[in-house]
Amino acid sequence: AQKVTQAQTEISVVEKEDVTLDCVYETRDTTYYLFWYKQPPSGELVFLIRRNSFDEQNEISGRYSWNFQKSTSSFNFTITASQVVDSAVYFCALSEAEAMDSNYQLIWGAGTKLIIKP
Amino acid sequence: GAVVSQHPSRVICKSGTSVKIECRSLDFQATTMFWYRQFPKQSLMLMATSNEGSKATYEQGVEKDKFLINHASLTLSTLTVTSAHPEDSSFYICSARDRLAGISYNEQFFGPGTRLTVL
């Protein structure tokens, strides 16, 4: 069965610290997509990254980086030198491409609330 | 590109009234749109998937007579909460999948959400 686990319910760090948000997924498909979204207090989801299952290269975008490890079924997200504006709820999600009746639905993790204190 | 709008952004209504929420893809055609519900401090819960021109597919536990979904065109889907009650108060989010997106571009574009409060 497909599942996304974000074990960290809430993380609180002081500004400028690095922080890693964990995401572990389960799927039987060999082709799938992983996503990270940010949801600030306004509620609007902000797309951060999409990664397909065949691309295990880590990605860096400014202060954000992602570590995709198929061997451990993890897709962790690191924020370097965190800022107060990074405070939000972050969701990891999985979409399976092979399930014909899936309509490419997203399977969501529970989310991690990140609090960056000044 | 790939902008999805929702209207209204916020609505307050009396118990027993019906509320319609619109979801529009502004610069692309969406064969598939998704409706989510999000309670405070919880994750998104998929309510239904709608494909243009056909009936919506509802997730288990979602009352189709309560939450009417109409996907009448490639750019518009509506969710009507009928006879709303306080327990229907929630944040409703729609998303859309680009008609031209192949299997290699599996992404949903999200609307900004609608906050419904039923008094």
Side-chain angles (χ1 to χ4, degrees):
Chain A
Q2 62 274 58
K3 187 179 175 183
V4 175
T5 302
Q6 293 180 257
Q8 304 150 309
T9 306
E10 184 174 304
I11 300 175
S12 181
V13 300
V14 177
E15 198 173 22
K16 296 183 184 175
E17 286 185 18
D18 298 348
V19 58
T20 296
L21 283 63
D22 298 333
C23 174
V24 175
Y25 63 92
E26 293 176 31
T27 177
R28 281 184 282 198
D29 280 12
T30 55
T31 303
Y32 53 89
Y33 298 84
L34 294 163
F35 302 81
W36 275 95
Y37 289 90
K38 174 182 180 180
Q39 188 176 42
S42 66
E44 183 163 2
L45 286 166
V46 178
F47 167 80
L48 296 178
I49 190 171
R50 176 186 69 250
R51 172 69 72 223
N52 76 54
S53 53
F54 298 110
D55 183 0
E56 284 195 74
Q57 277 193 334
N58 291 330
E59 175 137 350
I60 298 175
S61 175
R63 296 184 296 107
Y64 295 172
S65 62
W66 290 267
N67 184 358
F68 179 26
Q69 298 273 350
K70 282 181 80 169
S71 60
T72 55
S73 297
S74 65
F75 187 43
N76 296 338
F77 171 36
T78 297
I79 301 175
T80 304
S82 60
Q83 299 177 2
V84 173
V85 292
D86 296 327
S87 297
V89 179
Y90 291 85
F91 290 100
C92 180
L94 163 73
S95 179
E96 295 174 324
E98 293 176 3
M100 296 301 292
D101 61 347
S102 74
N103 252 317
Y104 307 107
Q105 290 178 6
L106 284 169
I107 298 136
W108 296 84
T112 297
K113 182 176 182 180
L114 178 62
I115 300 168
I116 310 296
K117 295 181 283 190
Chain B
V3 177
V4 175
S5 70
Q6 267 185 256
H7 178 80
S9 58
R10 187 179 294 267
V11 57
I12 302 172
C13 69
K14 291 182 179 179
S15 187
T17 60
S18 294
V19 174
K20 181 186 281 189
I21 302 170
E22 291 186 350
C23 176
R24 292 182 186 273
S25 57
L26 298 185
D27 50 2
F28 66 98
Q29 293 181 325
T31 43
T32 305
M33 286 185 169
F34 304 87
W35 286 96
Y36 296 88
R37 183 175 183 176
Q38 186 181 31
F39 291 109
K41 299 185 180 181
Q42 292 190 22
S43 187
L44 281 74
M45 183 196 82
L46 180 66
M47 299 175 67
T49 302
S50 74
N51 290 298
E52 185 264 341
S54 62
K55 289 185 179 180
T57 302
Y58 290 81
E59 295 300 301
Q60 196 171 9
V62 178
E63 300 174 58
K64 58 183 69 176
D65 295 331
K66 172 83 173 167
F67 299 99
L68 300 177
I69 292 171
N70 185 352
H71 192 162
S73 78
L74 284 171
T75 58
L76 174 65
S77 176
T78 60
L79 167 67
T80 301
V81 183
T82 61
S83 187
H85 287 96
E87 58 266 28
D88 299 323
S89 298
S90 189
F91 191 54
Y92 292 87
I93 306 171
C94 75
S95 70
R97 190 166 178 273
D98 191 337
R99 178 177 72 90
L100 298 178
I103 193 171
S104 62
Y105 193 72
N106 190 11
E107 184 174 348
Q108 296 178 23
F109 302 101
F110 287 85
T114 296
R115 199 164 299 279
L116 170 63
T117 303
V118 185
L119 303 175

